[in-house]
């Protein structure tokens, strides 16, 4: 007997899928960020040196137990403290990514066997519509959002780095974060579109078999 998927369960599964999409998109965005860093002429470091130090920073941020050691640019205690805070958030995202993606795959496979995937189409459509409005508004006012989010996420003010003593901040101007936000939003809607297509395809196969 095929059990009917309740509206509450459909919404819950959709939310798990959206959380998975958010975290996977963020993970990918972080790892393509080297393509977007600035190479300011005022920084007396070669392009290769800048790229190497940025990759070392990424390795520190994404790998548990790693130490922050840069070869070309100095770091103050405040900068190290801020990057330690960022590291905790990124490691949390990696944990959420693994858990939510695993849960989403299991739940989708279960509903596929129960031939109830079609009931996810409506909440997913609503979710994509709401996200389109919210993320567009965030993008329009991104500079203000960026500053406000730092006040929310970081209790200390060590995220305000002085480029004279922490020149690594010159690699990451506001335009850098704006471009990464656009990449993240693009990936979010790409993966949601893939999910939408999968649900339509699987639903069509189910109807064909019936």
């Amino acid at each position: 007997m095929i059990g009917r998927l309740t509206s509450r369960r459909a919404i819950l599964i959709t939310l798990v899928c959206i959380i998975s999409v958010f975290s996977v998109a963020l993970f990918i965005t972080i790892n393509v960020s080297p393509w977007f860093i600035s190479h300011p002429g005022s920084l007396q470091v070669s392009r290769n040196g800048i790229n190497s130090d940025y990759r070392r920073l990424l390795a520190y941020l994404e790998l548990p137990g790693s130490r922050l050691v840069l070869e070309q640019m100095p770091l103050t205690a405040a900068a190290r403290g801020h990057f330690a805070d960022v590291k905790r958030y990124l490691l949390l995202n990696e944990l959420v990514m693994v858990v939510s993606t695993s849960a989403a795959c299991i739940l989708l496979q279960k509903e596929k066997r129960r031939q109830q995937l079609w009931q996810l189409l409506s909440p997913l459509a609503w979710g994509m519509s709401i996200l389109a409005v919210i993320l567009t508004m965030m993008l329009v006012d991104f500079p203000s959002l960026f500053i406000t989010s730092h006040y929310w996420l970081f209790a200390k003010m060590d995220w305000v780095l002085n480029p004279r003593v922490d020149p690594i901040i010159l690699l990451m101007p506001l335009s850098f974060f704006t471009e990464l936000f656009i990449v993240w939003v693009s990936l979010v809607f790409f993966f949601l579109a893939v999910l939408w297509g999968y649900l339509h395809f699987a639903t069509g196969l189910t109807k064909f078999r019936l």
Side-chain angles (χ1 to χ4, degrees):
M1 180 178 179
I2 299 174
R4 184 174 177 81
L5 180 62
T6 64
S7 297
R8 182 176 298 178
R9 182 174 172 83
I11 292 173
L12 176 62
I13 294 174
T14 302
L15 287 175
V16 171
C17 291
I18 290 175
I19 291 171
S20 171
V21 165
F22 276 16
S23 57
V24 170
L26 178 58
F27 180 77
I28 295 174
T29 300
I30 294 300
N31 283 280
V32 301
S33 64
W35 298 346
F36 299 91
I37 60 173
S38 296
H39 297 82
S42 59
L43 191 58
Q44 301 302 311
V45 180
S46 69
R47 192 180 187 91
N48 287 337
I50 289 174
N51 292 337
S52 296
D53 268 2
Y54 186 78
R55 285 195 294 269
R56 292 185 184 94
L57 175 62
L58 277 190
Y60 165 75
L61 294 176
E62 295 192 291
L63 299 176
S66 56
R67 296 176 61 247
L68 180 53
V69 178
L70 303 184
E71 293 185 355
Q72 304 295 327
M73 289 175 278
L75 283 175
T76 62
R80 291 180 181 278
H82 174 59
F83 288 130
D85 291 337
V86 174
K87 180 186 180 78
R88 282 189 283 271
Y89 283 118
L90 293 185
L91 291 181
L92 176 60
N93 179 72
E94 291 175 11
L95 176 61
V96 170
M97 177 178 67
V98 172
V99 173
S100 63
T101 303
S102 300
C105 291
I106 292 171
L107 291 169
L108 290 174
Q109 192 62 32
K110 181 178 179 179
E111 298 310 325
K112 181 180 179 181
R113 290 196 301 269
R114 298 171 69 232
Q115 299 178 9
Q116 293 292 298
L117 286 178
W118 64 274
Q119 296 222 49
L120 300 178
L121 289 170
S122 179
L124 181 59
W126 275 102
M128 292 174 70
S129 299
I130 293 171
L131 284 174
V133 174
I134 293 175
L135 294 179
T136 300
M137 292 173 61
M138 292 171 67
L139 182 59
V140 169
D141 195 27
F142 183 78
S144 176
L145 172 68
F146 181 76
I147 300 298
T148 302
S149 65
H150 275 64
Y151 282 109
W152 290 345
L153 295 172
F154 306 107
K156 296 177 289 184
M157 290 292 294
D158 54 12
W159 55 270
V160 183
L161 302 183
N162 185 340
R164 284 186 289 186
V165 291
D166 287 308
I168 194 168
I169 195 60
L170 295 174
L171 279 57
M172 300 173 279
L174 181 59
S175 59
F176 165 82
F177 293 102
T178 303
E179 290 167 355
L180 290 188
F181 183 73
I182 294 172
V183 170
W184 178 77
V185 170
S186 301
L187 287 171
V188 164
F189 281 100
F190 171 76
F191 288 130
L192 289 177
V194 169
L195 177 58
W196 176 266
Y198 165 73
L199 293 178
H200 263 287
F201 178 74
T203 299
L205 284 182
T206 300
K207 290 181 179 178
F208 179 76
R209 289 169 184 168
L210 292 176

